[in-house]
Amino acid sequence: MSYIQATYKFPTKVGGTERKAEGIALGMTVGSWTDLTEMDQQQLLRHKGRVVSVTEVEEDSNLFGIAIIEYPTVNFSPDLPAILTTIFGKLSLDGQIRLQNISFSSGLAEQFPGPRYGVKGIRDILGVYDRPLLMSIFKGVIGRNQAYLNQQLEAQCYGGMDLVKEDEILFENELTPFVTRIKEGNRITKKAYEETGHRTLYAVNLTGRSTDLLNKARWANEAGADVLLFNVHAYGLDLLQAIREDEEVHLPIMAHPAVAGAMSGSSTHGIDYSISLGTFIRAAGADFSLFPSPYGSVALPFQDVQNIVSKLSEENVWKPTFAVPSAGIHPGLVPTLVKDFGVDQIINAGGGIHGHPQGALAGVKSFKQALHATLAGESLENAASKHRELKEALQLWG
Amino acid sequence: MSYIQATYKFPTKVGGTERKAEGIALGMTVGSWTDLTEMDQQQLLRHKGRVVSVTEVEEDSNLFGIAIIEYPTVNFSPDLPAILTTIFGKLSLDGQIRLQNISFSSGLAEQFPGPRYGVKGIRDILGVYDRPLLMSIFKGVIGRNQAYLNQQLEAQCYGGMDLVKEDEILFENELTPFVTRIKEGNRITKKAYEETGHRTLYAVNLTGRSTDLLNKARWANEAGADVLLFNVHAYGLDLLQAIREDEEVHLPIMAHPAVAGAMSGSSTHGIDYSISLGTFIRAAGADFSLFPSPYGSVALPFQDVQNIVSKLSEENVWKPTFAVPSAGIHPGLVPTLVKDFGVDQIINAGGGIHGHPQGALAGVKSFKQALHATLAGESLENAASKHRELKEALQLWG
């Protein structure tokens, strides 16, 4: 049988967890059970939610129940809005409860596309296989004109970044229209590639009304865009999937975590980050998932980040999604990043590049020096003695 | 100038609130300020977020900062995903912070449609002006066939309900396809109207892939559906707006609160219910907003419910949205409901109708008896002495 399993955590009293779990399993499916006739029970058996397991844990003198409940796919259509409503619709409103984990049976998973490219596909486009990719962002985009963006993009391309992404808060505007950003981005990345042999992918922010997104994405594809950045949590997961599945859009998709904190930020309510920025993002088809790194000022707990990365990369029917731990990243963190998250990640820097004492180009170089040294097993101190840019970065950020 | 104001609440230290608020106002707009050249400052001034006010409150020996920040509309396109990303995108990921309130300048508000019908428009359709409307739901829909639904719908129509809604967990399925539910619903409500003179509106659950929703809504409109029920928080607010604005869809829209608890359930993180189930729902164009009543087992605090109702009904450029406090509603609560939320609300009952000792028809009658007595200033005890159905309901639920 095809199903989805959901794991919930909620406050409980000794011995009350089983009953609460049964209440969820029934309340979110057939409604009631013991008062049904035998004939009704027979008819509804294949629709009934099933309590897979129940455990109780004590944390800071509070008792919590953890229940895994299985929902048969016959109850819902195979789309993420239906799944969200089935496993956490009414239930999300029912006091303190946290959706901790979800697990698709393989029959159900196959009905979701997963990434079009995934880690290997993106590596194939760039021709880079043996190291984390490097990504940078712009310094200030709001109220800036195209020449300002172009100048920054050039520095980053010629410096040798693998990806450059726009800010998630850059919407359609008169100074830097979507159309112009794509054309100029295309021109600059192409020119840099011809002159340096290094390819840089430019991620443009796909925004606007939901009903226009597919047409805009098709247009972007046509106009030579490299990657679509998408604020999936401001729109809805199913729209990410729609872009992924559109037959005329062949672009990699980079899912931005904006607004995800609203549903995942609390540890007692809402939906775990490993779902919102992990499982769901991968199922719906993002090639990249950005999330707060555990190191910066906007930071997630390390365990949360590990859980996200695990969901993005664990073996299943979907291609792996590139993990992009973001915020607070400077060259001194590169050895930690590689130790913590391996080679298949994207090192994404903003302030760590633009804040370099010698400017953005030196910032890019310092990251490349740090990465090169780390992969060669050399200490950053040692590498810094040979490279001025890395030395200055370490002096500034440690 | 056109703008949106957002009110945030976050833990703070004495004297640190102003700086944190300035950090948000800059971080969510132009990025930095004091290190900009005077020319840059001039160029970016109209894009810069502005701290409108900062206060500090102590709760349970913890100090919280409350900051109102104004974002100029020049920074974003006039759509809800852009607004969400602008006011709570990155910020939602930044530790403990709660988006408490939002306020549109009138120039911005006018770019959102609000309800097509609103309270008065729905009353015009039904021809009922002087009392709360009565709505009921089905008892169990998953795994049930069309005959089962029909039988329940008939009882509710002939009993005299103003609205009957499907469950939010009823998706496209073989037993009761969307198409059949609309046709049968149409047939039954029409027949009941012809025979009793009482009109009942049937709310059908609009589900499926995002890219199919508009076509399905158009089809439903064409096929004679009365009202669309929509799990807006499982899809995204902008899709609600798209359905509202579609020129071929003239149906009232009933927004279901499923999944809203994921972003609003915590009191320390996420987005206040008055926004998720109030302001946003009304701006995007729902004619009805369902939310947990303060009385049932799945209950919201009374103040939260009052805030939602206030946002749905306060005077502004949009028509008012019908408030539908739901869950835990039985006839004994009717006087409290009317006292708390007035005449312009919908009394929405499930168990309070189907759980009546004499069945659903008696349940409907007991609600009408309670409502009639309440509006006439008569006590329920007194009315119960004249009406057997109400008497039995009060005996059961108090």
Side-chain angles (χ1 to χ4, degrees):
Chain A
M1 199 185 68
S2 192
Y3 59 81
I4 187 165
Q5 286 185 355
T7 308
Y8 307 99
K9 183 178 177 183
F10 45 81
T12 193
K13 286 178 181 141
V14 178
T17 313
E18 183 83 33
R19 200 165 48 92
K20 166 99 173 172
E22 270 300 335
I24 295 172
L26 289 177
M28 304 297 278
T29 58
V30 296
S32 53
W33 194 251
T34 47
D35 58 337
L36 296 180
T37 63
E38 204 174 312
M39 211 178 73
D40 275 350
Q41 287 191 350
Q42 260 175 29
Q43 186 191 335
L44 296 183
L45 189 60
R46 70 189 199 110
H47 298 275
K48 184 177 168 293
R50 185 173 77 84
V51 179
V52 176
S53 74
V54 161
T55 51
E56 291 177 355
V57 294
E58 201 180 304
E59 287 175 12
D60 305 329
S61 313
N62 295 311
L63 192 66
F64 292 91
I66 295 176
I68 301 180
I69 293 171
E70 186 174 285
Y71 302 92
T73 54
V74 66
N75 287 2
F76 51 87
S77 46
D79 55 76
L80 292 172
I83 286 178
L84 262 174
T85 305
T86 298
I87 66 176
F88 209 51
K90 205 164 60 175
L91 193 56
S92 75
L93 301 155
D94 194 9
Q96 184 178 330
I97 185 160
R98 175 88 169 163
L99 178 60
Q100 283 197 309
N101 190 29
I102 56 171
S103 165
F104 294 63
S105 70
S106 58
L108 180 60
E110 278 157 14
Q111 303 198 53
F112 292 87
R116 180 185 288 269
Y117 296 95
V119 170
K120 180 164 181 313
I122 298 295
R123 288 193 175 287
D124 286 344
I125 295 172
L126 285 166
V128 175
Y129 296 94
D130 51 355
R131 59 167 175 82
L133 303 181
L134 286 173
M135 178 156 86
S136 58
I137 63 174
F138 292 94
K139 187 195 176 188
V141 291
I142 296 276
R144 301 296 192 165
N145 61 22
Q146 191 63 46
Y148 179 93
L149 295 193
N150 285 355
Q151 193 188 17
Q152 284 194 33
L153 180 57
E154 269 165 22
Q156 293 168 51
C157 289
Y158 284 88
M161 298 309 290
D162 301 306
L163 296 122
V164 178
K165 68 168 262 294
E166 294 183 347
D167 276 13
E168 78 284 1
I169 53 170
L170 185 60
F171 302 103
E172 198 53 271
N173 72 96
E174 285 178 16
L175 293 169
T176 55
F178 185 65
V179 175
T180 312
R181 274 145 47 207
I182 292 174
K183 289 190 173 163
E184 289 293 280
N186 191 271
R187 180 181 65 76
I188 290 166
T189 54
K190 246 190 192 148
K191 183 157 170 284
Y193 176 61
E194 280 161 14
E195 292 177 17
T196 68
H198 183 86
R199 193 179 294 282
T200 305
L201 302 178
Y202 180 67
V204 67
N205 196 21
L206 180 67
T207 68
R209 296 299 306 277
S210 299
T211 42
D212 297 333
L213 288 177
L214 285 183
N215 277 333
K216 286 182 81 169
R218 289 171 193 157
W219 188 91
N221 194 120
E222 198 63 24
D226 296 320
V227 175
L228 297 171
L229 178 68
F230 187 54
N231 290 319
V232 50
H233 298 286
Y235 281 98
L237 292 156
D238 189 58
L239 281 167
L240 167 61
Q241 187 179 333
I243 300 165
R244 157 64 180 90
E245 290 177 333
D246 192 90
E247 287 183 12
E248 294 172 50
V249 181
H250 306 284
L251 299 176
I253 306 171
M254 187 178 289
H256 196 279
V259 196
M263 67 172 145
S264 299
S266 158
S267 61
T268 54
H269 293 72
I271 297 175
D272 199 77
Y273 276 122
S274 66
I275 304 171
S276 60
L277 302 180
T279 310
F280 276 155
I281 291 299
R282 185 176 175 193
D287 300 282
F288 310 86
S289 177
L290 274 73
F291 49 83
S293 82
Y295 317 117
S297 60
V298 179
L300 289 189
F302 185 71
Q303 184 61 51
D304 283 1
V305 174
Q306 268 202 322
N307 292 344
I308 296 170
V309 173
S310 155
K311 292 298 182 184
L312 294 176
S313 57
E314 68 183 12
E315 197 155 323
N316 60 33
V317 300
W318 305 310
K319 291 177 185 168
T321 297
F322 246 124
V324 192
S326 303
I329 305 296
H330 57 77
L333 280 171
V334 169
T336 309
L337 277 165
V338 171
K339 178 172 72 64
D340 289 341
F341 308 115
V343 169
D344 282 336
Q345 68 172 309
I346 295 181
I347 296 175
N348 177 26
I353 281 178
H354 299 289
H356 191 282
Q358 303 300 326
L361 195 58
V364 175
K365 282 187 186 166
S366 69
F367 267 97
K368 293 173 71 177
Q369 291 155 1
L371 184 56
H372 191 263
T374 301
L375 295 173
E378 187 186 1
S379 77
L380 292 195
E381 292 66 34
N382 208 21
S385 69
K386 292 177 281 182
H387 301 294
R388 194 171 52 86
E389 294 86 358
L390 180 57
K391 191 175 170 189
E392 291 187 13
L394 295 182
Q395 276 166 356
L396 180 60
W397 291 298
Chain B
M1 199 187 65
S2 192
Y3 59 81
I4 186 165
Q5 287 185 354
T7 308
Y8 307 100
K9 183 177 177 183
F10 44 81
T12 193
K13 286 180 181 139
V14 178
T17 313
E18 182 83 33
R19 199 164 49 92
K20 166 96 173 175
E22 270 300 336
I24 294 172
L26 290 177
M28 303 297 277
T29 58
V30 295
S32 53
W33 194 251
T34 47
D35 58 337
L36 295 180
T37 64
E38 204 174 313
M39 211 176 72
D40 275 350
Q41 287 191 350
Q42 261 175 28
Q43 186 191 334
L44 296 183
L45 189 60
R46 71 189 198 109
H47 297 275
K48 185 177 168 292
R50 184 172 78 85
V51 178
V52 176
S53 74
V54 161
T55 50
E56 291 177 353
V57 293
E58 201 179 303
E59 287 174 13
D60 305 329
S61 313
N62 295 311
L63 193 65
F64 291 92
I66 295 176
I68 301 181
I69 292 170
E70 186 174 283
Y71 302 91
T73 54
V74 66
N75 286 3
F76 51 86
S77 47
D79 56 76
L80 291 172
I83 286 178
L84 262 174
T85 305
T86 297
I87 66 176
F88 209 51
K90 205 164 59 175
L91 192 57
S92 75
L93 301 154
D94 193 9
Q96 184 179 330
I97 185 160
R98 175 89 168 163
L99 178 60
Q100 283 197 308
N101 190 30
I102 56 170
S103 166
F104 293 63
S105 69
S106 59
L108 180 60
E110 277 158 14
Q111 302 198 54
F112 291 87
R116 179 186 289 269
Y117 297 95
V119 170
K120 179 162 182 314
I122 298 296
R123 288 194 176 286
D124 286 343
I125 294 172
L126 285 167
V128 175
Y129 296 94
D130 51 353
R131 59 167 176 82
L133 303 181
L134 287 173
M135 178 156 86
S136 58
I137 63 174
F138 292 94
K139 187 194 175 190
V141 292
I142 296 276
R144 300 296 191 165
N145 61 23
Q146 191 63 47
Y148 180 92
L149 295 193
N150 286 355
Q151 194 188 15
Q152 285 194 33
L153 180 58
E154 269 165 23
Q156 293 168 51
C157 290
Y158 284 87
M161 298 309 292
D162 302 306
L163 295 122
V164 178
K165 68 168 264 294
E166 295 183 347
D167 276 12
E168 79 284 2
I169 54 170
L170 185 59
F171 303 102
E172 198 52 270
N173 71 95
E174 284 177 17
L175 294 169
T176 56
F178 185 64
V179 174
T180 312
R181 275 146 46 208
I182 292 174
K183 289 189 173 162
E184 290 293 280
N186 191 269
R187 180 181 65 76
I188 290 166
T189 54
K190 246 191 191 145
K191 184 156 169 286
Y193 176 62
E194 281 160 15
E195 293 177 17
T196 67
H198 183 86
R199 194 179 292 283
T200 305
L201 301 178
Y202 181 66
V204 66
N205 197 20
L206 179 67
T207 69
R209 296 299 307 275
S210 299
T211 41
D212 297 332
L213 288 177
L214 286 182
N215 277 333
K216 286 182 82 169
R218 289 171 193 158
W219 188 91
N221 194 120
E222 196 65 23
D226 297 318
V227 175
L228 296 171
L229 178 68
F230 187 53
N231 291 319
V232 49
H233 297 285
Y235 281 97
L237 292 157
D238 189 59
L239 282 167
L240 168 60
Q241 188 179 334
I243 300 165
R244 156 65 180 90
E245 290 177 332
D246 193 90
E247 287 182 13
E248 294 173 51
V249 181
H250 307 282
L251 299 175
I253 307 171
M254 186 178 290
H256 196 279
V259 196
M263 67 172 144
S264 299
S266 158
S267 60
T268 54
H269 294 71
I271 297 174
D272 199 76
Y273 276 122
S274 66
I275 304 171
S276 61
L277 302 180
T279 310
F280 276 154
I281 291 300
R282 185 175 174 193
D287 299 282
F288 310 85
S289 177
L290 274 74
F291 47 85
S293 83
Y295 317 116
S297 60
V298 178
L300 288 189
F302 186 72
Q303 185 60 52
D304 282 2
V305 174
Q306 268 203 322
N307 293 343
I308 296 170
V309 174
S310 155
K311 292 298 182 184
L312 295 176
S313 57
E314 68 183 12
E315 198 156 323
N316 60 32
V317 301
W318 305 310
K319 291 178 185 166
T321 297
F322 246 124
V324 192
S326 304
I329 305 297
H330 56 78
L333 279 171
V334 169
T336 309
L337 277 164
V338 172
K339 177 172 73 64
D340 289 342
F341 308 116
V343 168
D344 281 336
Q345 67 172 311
I346 295 180
I347 297 175
N348 177 27
I353 281 178
H354 299 289
H356 192 283
Q358 303 300 327
L361 196 58
V364 174
K365 282 187 186 164
S366 69
F367 267 98
K368 292 174 72 177
Q369 291 155 359
L371 184 55
H372 190 263
T374 301
L375 295 174
E378 187 185 2
S379 77
L380 292 195
E381 291 66 33
N382 208 22
S385 68
K386 293 177 281 182
H387 302 293
R388 193 171 53 86
E389 294 86 358
L390 181 57
K391 189 174 172 192
E392 290 188 14
L394 295 182
Q395 276 166 356
L396 181 60
W397 291 298

